[in-house]
Each structure stands twice: as C-alpha cells, then as structure tokens.
Amino acid sequence: MTAVARAGELLREVPGVRAVAEYRRQWLVKDVVAGVVLTTLLVPQGMAYAELAKLPPITGLYTTILCLLGYAVCGPSRILVLGPDSSLGPMIAASIVPLAASGGDSKRAVALASTLAIMVAAIMILASVARLGFIADLISKPTMIGYLNGLALTIIIGQLPKLFGFKVDADGLLAEAREFAKGLANGKAVGAAAAVGIAGIVLVLVLQRWLPKVPAVLVMVVLAIGASVAFDLKAHGVSTVGELPEGFPPLTIPDIKMGDLGLLFAGALGIAVVSLADTISTSTAFAARTGQEVEGNKEMFGIGAANLAAGLFQGFPVSTSGSRTAVAERSGSRSQLTGVVGAVLIILMLVLVPGLFRDLPQPALAAVVITAALSLADVPGAIRLWRQRRTEFLLSIAAFLGVALLGVLPGIAIAIGLSILNVFRRAWWPYETELGRVPGLEGYHSIRSYPDAERRPGLVIYRFDAPLFFANAKNFREEVERFARADPPPVWIVIAAEPVTDVDTTASDELEDLDEWLNARGIRLIFAEMKDPVREKIERYGLTRTIDPRSFYPTVESAVAAYDALPATTEAETEAEAETDHPSSR
C-alpha cells in the first residue's frame, strides 16, 4: 500500500470525515434548524459560564465556537454537544485565580485558562491512546451526587452578590456566605439588580417546568435586555455586559510562567476526570436513543480535540452539556452539523453585531448560572441513598462537605478518593456467611437470611464474597479459625469458592499456613466451585503441596455428598487420617 493510500485510509477513520461521507441529504434542514435553536442557548450560557470561571464573557463565546468545531471533526457521537459547563467553571476558577489574582490581569487569566484547556487536552488524548477510558468509572454515583450537591451550593452562594448587584472580597463557601450577608446588612444590594436577577430565575424555572419546549434562557435574556434599555438600568446602578470584542479570536499560544504549571496540572487532572465522567454518562443516555455505541477511548480523544481547539484560541476547558444536547435532540438534530451551524452563527454575531448583548444585565447572567446550578443538585438522590444504603449516603455527605468546606479541587480529589476507598472497603470487608440447606429451596443459602437453615454436624460451609488478597486474607483466616475452634470442632470446612475471583501471593501464604494449622487439629480444608483460573494460580503457587488435590470439588453439593460418604470415625481416627493424607503437616 502506498503512502498516499495509507494516508487516505487514516483520513477516512477521522470521525468528521466519516460523518461527511455517511451524511444523508434529508438531515440537512433538521440540522440547520437545530443549530439555530441551539445557538440561542449557547450564547448566554457561554458568557455566563465564562464569568463563573472568573474570565471575560467573550472567552465563553470563543470557547463555544472552537470546541464545537473540534468535536465535530474528532468526536464520535453524532448528537453530543460540548461547551462551557457549569460544573467546570468553579474548577477552572480554583485553578487560575490563585495565579492570576495579583493585579487582576484578565489577559493573564485567559492565558492560564487556555493553558489549562491544552493540558486537559493532552491528558485526554494520551489517556485515549493508552486506552484508559475506564477512568470515567473512578467516581461512584453516591460520591458524584455529593460532589455535585456541594458544587451547586458553592456556585449559588458565589453568584448571590452578583445577583444583588454588588461584589464581595472573599474566597470559599463560608467566607462568601458571610460577606454576602454583611453586604445585605450594610445596604450594598442594588434593588433594580436584585429585581432583574430574581425575576430571571423565577422566569427560567417556570418556563422549564411548564413550557419545556420554549427556550427559557433566551426568553429571559431578551426580556432582561429589553428591561435594561427601557428602564435605563445602568442609571440605577445595574452593571451590564458591555460591548464584546469584534471578530474571530486569533490563534494564540498561551504565554505563562513555568512555575504556574504545577497547580494547573492538578486542576487539569480533576477537570479531565469530571469532564470524562459527565461525557460518558451523557453520551450513554443519548446513544441508547439513537442506536449508537459509546466507546470511552474515542470519546476521550474527541473531548481532547475540543479542548485543544479551545485552548489555542483563547478558550478554556469544556465538557458535555446534557441540557444543550437535549435541546439539540428535541430540535431534530441528526449530526454534528448542528454544532457547526451554531459555531458559524456565533462567529457571524461577533463579526456583524458584536454589540447585540451590550445591554444584558449582569444579574441576568447570574440567573443563568444559578438555574444551571440548581439542575446540578440532586437532593432527591441523596434522600434515596439515606433510605436505601446509609454507608453510601455518608460517602455522599463526605464528598459534599469536601467541596463545601475545602474547595472545588480538593472536593473532586476527595470524591475520587472516597470512591476508590469504597471499592477497597468492600473487598477488605466483604459479605461472608455460613451456608445451610433450606427446605423447599435448591442449593445452600446464607444462615443470615435463613436462620433456620439445616447444618450437618461436623461440616461447615463458608462463603467469602471477594477475591482473596493481601488486605483481607487475614480476616478470611481468622474467620475459618473461629469455625475450627467450635466445640465440638468440625471435621470438614468447605469453602464455597465461586465468589473468590483471585488469590494473590500473600493470600496463598495465608492459605498454606491455615491448612497446616487445620491439619494439626484433624480438620480438612475443602474448596468447592473454585474457578479454573484461580485453581491454576493455586497450583502455580505450589499450594497443592499442603492442600490435597482431592480437596477440590466442582460443586458444594458434591463436596457435601463426599462428606456424607465418609465412614463414621472417632475424633482420634479422623486426626490420624488427616495426618496420613497430609504428611507435610507433620
């Protein structure tokens, strides 16, 4: 195959090129209409989320344009819409504000945010090449619920001063809440600003609840601009967005200090995990409706390309938006052409009518952010956890407090850490039980669920629902020894090993010592239903030197049948027989 042919084959593998080749003419009108409708949401949200990230509103529009184009070329989903996101705004601010705070230089803040987007892109693309799509599973649903609830509260408290027309100099949820309360008490609130902001929130929530097909954010923004012009709100102390820079953003390589990279990289890692988890969950939900399959590694590459495009044109990190994707779907979107249409319309707006939003009141943007934050919160989900499983509710609360009290970046680290610890806890202290025969039911069942289950004298059937590894091997051994110390002691202890999916070398040593300890007491250790890969590991470890190969049975029933077939013996005879069968124990 020639180099040209290979290049052509690789080019056809690019999702955007393949989408063009497979595009159907009957989709065109629907995609264009959906793109027009989507733009009415992209513009106000883009500006609002930029300010949430402590950046100029125009950067939100630059980001929206480039990420839509980048994902259209490299993203695998036909319908997913990427852009500035309310869940990432506080994380971006937490990463750049400590570095850009001195002097309040907006150009430096933009450069830091663009670098952050490029770093997120690098993480995503490298992780995609390494096929690390499973990273999206690092945050469990309970910890994500807690994280998002904490994030929603943090966003709302942070936007309240802007909603009421004044500023506070504070950092952190508690400090911002305290300064906001002081500002209200000292009469800093601007009545006109509060009226616009609160009315905006109520209007958006009412329209979303009762008229979901109406573009609530657009209606609110248009009415707010109309009110600003009609009542000259500037004269009443209400801040407005002002004139946006004209034209398309130039290609810009961010100029930052090497010393800034450490904090930015920590923020980029957290943003990458949250963005991927959000994208995978959203794409899975919408793919199920369109018949597509979700591939985490390809989604990572698409997100990486979108962030790279945004970062090179004065943008900031992006993620998937469930609300914008839903709008596109309801409007009839069939392909990524919807996003391309949205990007083109925003470019035309910046080139032809950059002053379109100059009279938009800042409290209206705060209303956009607050209503988005309310959609992040999942209080019913937390209540459900309380009712269904208290341990997972506590994990959710811990993640919530991590975000609320320690900040957004520590909060996401706590959420990931708690998710991983929860997995480890379940493997460390798994469900374990003795089994017995229940009249009228096939097989053997937990005596915890069936306290009256029948147990044979001299026989213990024990199930341990986890792989055996260094952290839980001692717990396993202690439980088996507890059975062995019963009065009278058992003759056989049968391990129902079907849930034991692995045995590591530490657990192997514990099993060897345990078997010798039991042999010395005339008790045989039996394994039933052990998986072949686990049995092969046990043989490779050399455990069959002490554990008799005849001690492995295909089912619990066959092990019990073998026990029932044993001749009646005295305790001394049983011990002598065990020592004969296991000479290594002497």
Side-chain angles (χ1 to χ4, degrees):
M1 184 182 292
T2 65
V4 174
R6 281 198 299 270
E9 187 174 321
L10 289 174
L11 189 62
R12 284 191 294 272
E13 289 300 312
V14 176
V17 174
R18 191 166 60 248
V20 171
E22 298 173 355
Y23 195 81
R24 301 177 187 176
R25 186 178 300 175
Q26 60 265 32
W27 291 352
L28 181 60
V29 174
K30 292 182 178 180
D31 280 338
V32 171
V33 171
V36 173
V37 174
L38 183 63
T39 305
T40 64
L41 184 64
L42 293 173
V43 173
Q45 282 193 346
M47 293 190 295
Y49 296 162
E51 294 207 332
L52 178 62
K54 308 299 183 184
L55 294 165
I58 188 63
T59 60
L61 301 184
Y62 293 164
T63 301
T64 301
I65 294 168
L66 273 304
C67 76
L68 289 173
L69 296 177
Y71 190 82
V73 173
C74 298
S77 172
R78 288 203 306 263
I79 195 172
L80 219 58
V81 178
L82 268 66
D85 190 69
S86 58
S87 65
L88 298 188
M91 300 180 73
I92 297 168
S95 300
I96 68 173
V97 168
L99 301 175
S102 55
D105 186 351
S106 62
K107 290 185 178 180
R108 176 163 163 74
V110 171
L112 291 167
S114 297
T115 304
L116 192 62
I118 294 171
M119 294 176 81
V120 170
I123 292 170
M124 288 290 193
I125 292 172
L126 290 175
S128 172
V129 173
R131 305 190 67 80
L132 299 179
F134 65 88
I135 290 174
D137 300 327
L138 283 179
I139 308 181
S140 66
K141 187 169 184 178
T143 49
M144 180 57 90
I145 287 174
Y147 170 76
L148 291 178
N149 284 339
L151 189 62
L153 182 61
T154 301
I155 292 172
I156 291 170
I157 295 298
Q159 291 294 306
L160 286 179
K162 184 176 175 181
L163 189 76
F164 281 77
F166 65 96
K167 296 180 179 180
V168 298
D169 184 13
D171 185 25
L173 176 68
L174 297 179
E176 289 179 343
R178 184 169 55 250
E179 291 302 312
F180 171 69
K182 286 182 180 178
L184 287 182
N186 294 333
K188 291 184 178 180
V190 177
V196 169
I198 295 173
I201 292 174
V202 172
L203 179 62
V204 170
L205 294 179
V206 168
L207 290 178
Q208 288 177 343
R209 175 66 178 85
W210 299 107
L211 297 171
K213 293 186 178 181
V214 173
V217 172
L218 175 64
V219 171
M220 186 273 288
V221 166
V222 170
L223 291 177
I225 293 175
S228 177
V229 174
F231 299 106
D232 192 14
L233 294 182
K234 283 185 183 180
H236 293 82
V238 178
S239 299
T240 58
V241 170
E243 195 85 19
L244 295 176
E246 182 178 348
F248 191 77
L251 174 66
T252 306
I253 304 300
D255 182 18
I256 65 166
K257 302 174 184 176
M258 291 296 294
D260 298 335
L261 295 179
L263 181 59
L264 289 179
F265 182 72
L269 279 177
I271 290 170
V273 173
V274 172
S275 178
L276 179 61
D278 192 21
T279 298
I280 294 297
S281 61
T282 303
S283 60
T284 300
F286 284 95
R289 305 180 193 177
T290 59
Q292 287 187 281
E293 293 184 1
V294 176
E295 297 184 45
N297 294 306
K298 290 184 179 180
E299 285 293 357
M300 291 176 83
F301 192 88
I303 301 169
N307 276 282
L308 180 62
L312 292 175
F313 288 86
Q314 302 180 35
F316 50 84
V318 298
S319 179
T320 303
S321 168
S323 61
R324 290 190 290 270
T325 303
V327 167
E329 184 194 42
R330 288 198 303 266
S331 303
S333 174
R334 291 294 182 270
S335 75
Q336 285 297 326
L337 181 60
T338 296
V340 174
V341 170
V344 170
L345 289 176
I346 296 173
I347 293 172
L348 291 175
M349 185 198 78
L350 292 177
V351 172
L352 302 178
V353 282
L356 187 62
F357 290 91
R358 66 171 173 266
D359 293 314
L360 176 61
Q362 289 285 356
L365 288 182
V368 173
V369 173
I370 289 174
T371 53
L374 290 174
S375 69
L376 288 177
D378 188 5
V379 176
I383 295 172
R384 186 177 67 252
L385 290 175
W386 169 259
R387 293 173 178 168
Q388 294 176 348
R389 190 160 184 170
R390 298 291 171 85
T391 55
E392 295 196 346
F393 172 78
L394 293 176
L395 286 174
S396 177
I397 292 299
F400 170 83
L401 293 175
V403 177
L405 300 180
L406 300 180
V408 177
L409 291 181
I412 189 60
I414 289 171
I416 294 173
L418 288 174
S419 295
I420 295 172
L421 285 175
N422 192 33
V423 173
F424 190 72
R425 178 190 64 82
R426 292 179 182 181
W428 193 353
W429 294 304
Y431 184 81
E432 52 184 337
T433 184
E434 186 179 352
L435 304 181
R437 174 75 76 177
V438 179
L441 294 178
E442 292 186 3
Y444 290 82
H445 303 272
S446 170
I447 64 171
R448 296 188 185 183
S449 301
Y450 300 93
D452 297 329
E454 298 174 357
R455 287 170 279 177
R456 281 173 168 73
L459 176 67
V460 171
I461 306 173
Y462 173 55
R463 193 179 73 207
F464 189 83
D465 290 359
L468 276 172
F469 67 114
F470 65 92
N472 64 21
K474 186 177 180 182
N475 295 336
F476 173 86
R477 175 177 177 171
E478 289 175 350
E479 189 65 15
V480 173
E481 288 179 353
R482 185 182 68 81
F483 289 127
R485 291 191 177 97
D487 186 18
V491 178
W492 278 17
I493 297 179
V494 177
I495 307 299
E498 194 272 337
V500 180
T501 56
D502 191 21
V503 175
D504 71 1
T505 54
T506 302
S508 171
D509 293 341
E510 288 285 356
L511 283 176
E512 183 174 2
D513 293 343
L514 175 62
D515 187 58
E516 291 179 348
W517 185 86
L518 292 173
N519 290 340
R521 287 157 177 78
I523 302 171
R524 287 189 62 179
L525 184 63
I526 305 295
F527 294 89
E529 301 181 357
M530 179 171 281
K531 291 178 169 62
D532 289 342
V534 181
R535 173 77 182 271
E536 290 168 3
K537 288 181 180 179
I538 282 181
E539 291 174 351
R540 189 164 64 248
Y541 297 153
L543 270 179
T544 48
R545 294 192 313 272
T546 58
I547 300 178
D548 191 335
R550 294 174 296 174
S551 298
F552 293 87
Y553 289 87
T555 64
V556 173
E557 287 80 0
S558 62
V560 174
Y563 174 78
D564 289 341
L566 291 176
T569 59
T570 64
E571 183 177 336
E573 288 171 336
T574 302
E575 183 174 342
E577 179 186 337
E579 290 180 355
T580 301
D581 287 342
H582 304 278
S584 61
S585 65
R586 290 180 293 193

